[in-house]
Amino acid sequence: MVVRLALLGVGAVGRGIIHAVAEKNLGLIITAVADSRSGCIDPNGLNLKELLDRKEKIGICGDTSINAEAIVQTAPYDILVEITPTDARKGEPATSYIKEALKRGCHVVTSNKGPVALHYHELFTLALKNNVQFRFEATVAGAIPILQTLMHNLGGNEIQSLYGVLNGTCNYILTRMAEEKLTYKQALDEARTLGYAEADPTYDVKGIDAAIKLVILANTIWKKNVSLDDVDVTGIDLLTEEALRLAEQQDATIRLIGEIIPEDNVYRLCPRIIPKEHPLVVQGSLNAIIVRTDLAGDLLFVGKGAGSLETASAVIGDILSIRDMDAGGN
Amino acid sequence: MKLELHDSPGQLVAALMPISDMGGNIKTVIHEHEHTSGKDVLSVEVVIEIPPELLDGLIVRLRERGINVLRLGEERMSYRQSVILIGHLVHTDLGDTIDRIDKTGFAEVTYMSLAMPAINERTSAQFVIKSLTREHMQQALHILRQVAKQKEFLLIEPLEI
């Protein structure tokens, strides 16, 4: 059985997914695609090469009379793949699209943190009611399959606590400040030049991005009802190079660490002094997570937390997992 | 503390009982046979953890049992942590910041290293704090968090996992 995808968002991640579907023989076809200004639909499967060429040449993927809303409501698809940019405060219009698709009885896979951080319980209930899947592996730690692992592979374990480096931009800046004795501003400028930081880096350096990931983890893994306001957040933007040198004197460094201890209601993201040889001290833009469990003990995950192919990897993983569940009659 | 007790059966237990009765934690007991001052007297060194306010009462109870306290050790703070503070530390009464920890009686700032890049720029400082127990350290860090909030410092705590 061929699974039909409708794709919202044709940025770097979207193009990564289109390439994978076109080249990898995954048993998937894409029946509808929308970018911010246009859309295209073909119930038999779009010609993906033509679509990518069009996007590259004229900047839009299809017909300007077709928009994302029309695709969500009317196009034929089994899974809505929602990969538009995150709006962390309102989660729109992504949340509306996701709700509409779930109500139609379609599965949803998203990389968009806004809807999951703000409306997880509502969306989960809606998916359950309509007997479909709602997946969002790409929202936390990019390529690292942390959500599915904690929810399924470690089922039966009590997850007692989680500590993690969840923002590659901050980790890159801190790595460079420590290794090359750069000032915060120099390291940030370098991260911008290399594309690790946005032109407006506030969302990353003030810790908002990583804090949203803690919210998603708290609400999905531990079924809490936590919002961004419940997380004790301190970013890295006020760190000094002297602080890193003081840490160095004790053979330690400073990393931005997210911490969840559900039993004590601890949801905290702040710079911490950490021994250099600690497993959470990863280099550059990597992410790392340690979870403490009652049966499996401590587990360490390290990998790329951002990047178009890495995010596409997580999204495709969710899509194929849904395909396999459907094939198994679930 | 170093104790002097009669070298007869039951004396050591008699010496240790009041310590545990008062909630103290006996960490080690070292007999020092070679240094005994007389034939029937035994010198014993015990390392204990006990809240400082109970120490005087303990000494009284030991003496009531005929046990002499020869010496009290200085190293009573055994738990150590290092934190970094960033902000206008000097102009917000550095002495007061340190004193907030020291006056608890259960924790002390025992070392400080300051880096002041220029006038009007924020100072970065490393504080080494010692405390009687891990719980006391948590309380000391809690106090420091409040100070940091009040004086607008960035407090960087160690990660312990």
Side-chain angles (χ1 to χ4, degrees), chain A residues 74-234:
Chain A
T74 63
Y77 60 87
D78 303 302
I79 304 177
L80 179 73
V81 182
E82 200 288 321
I83 45 172
T84 60
T86 291
D87 172 352
R89 290 287 163 193
K90 292 202 177 74
E92 289 294 352
T95 305
S96 299
Y97 298 153
I98 292 170
K99 279 189 195 168
E100 187 64 34
L102 294 174
K103 281 181 194 161
R104 278 187 71 183
C106 298
H107 307 290
V108 173
V109 174
T110 186
S111 63
N112 196 323
K113 291 185 266 291
V116 192
L118 295 165
H119 308 291
Y120 170 69
H121 294 295
E122 187 189 350
L123 296 173
F124 176 75
T125 307
L126 192 59
L128 210 60
K129 192 176 147 200
N130 289 284
N131 200 25
V132 289
Q133 295 286 315
F134 173 50
R135 296 288 184 92
F136 40 86
E137 183 64 66
T139 58
V140 180
I144 303 174
I146 187 73
L147 294 172
Q148 286 299 310
T149 304
L150 294 186
M151 282 195 273
H152 300 290
N153 304 73
L154 291 172
N157 276 270
E158 182 196 342
I159 315 288
Q160 294 158 331
S161 56
L162 178 147
Y163 303 87
V165 171
L166 297 167
N167 184 278
T169 307
C170 291
N171 204 64
Y172 180 83
I173 291 170
L174 295 174
T175 303
R176 297 295 289 168
M177 284 176 78
E179 282 180 358
E180 303 299 329
K181 314 239 179 303
L182 301 181
T183 64
Y184 168 74
K185 194 182 171 304
Q186 286 168 338
L188 174 62
D189 286 345
E190 189 186 78
R192 275 202 189 114
T193 308
L194 293 169
Y196 292 138
E198 305 287 335
D200 175 9
T202 315
Y203 184 69
D204 288 316
V205 298
K206 287 209 175 285
I208 303 162
D209 173 72
I212 288 171
K213 291 166 184 167
L214 290 183
V215 170
I216 294 173
L217 285 162
N219 292 349
T220 58
I221 304 301
W222 288 279
K223 310 292 177 210
K224 297 280 182 182
N225 202 359
V226 171
S227 74
L228 192 52
D229 293 336
D230 299 315
V231 184
D232 186 1
V233 185
T234 308

Side-chain angles (χ1 to χ4, degrees), chain A residues 240-273:
Chain A
T240 56
E241 59 268 36
E242 292 84 13
L244 277 142
R245 235 159 286 155
L246 289 167
E248 178 94 14
Q249 282 173 13
Q250 38 179 322
D251 215 21
T253 189
I254 296 173
R255 287 292 192 265
L256 184 65
I257 306 285
E259 179 180 14
I260 300 179
I261 308 172
E263 196 184 320
D264 302 333
N265 278 322
V266 171
Y267 307 102
R268 191 148 75 124
L269 178 91
C270 52
R272 303 288 280 269
I273 304 169

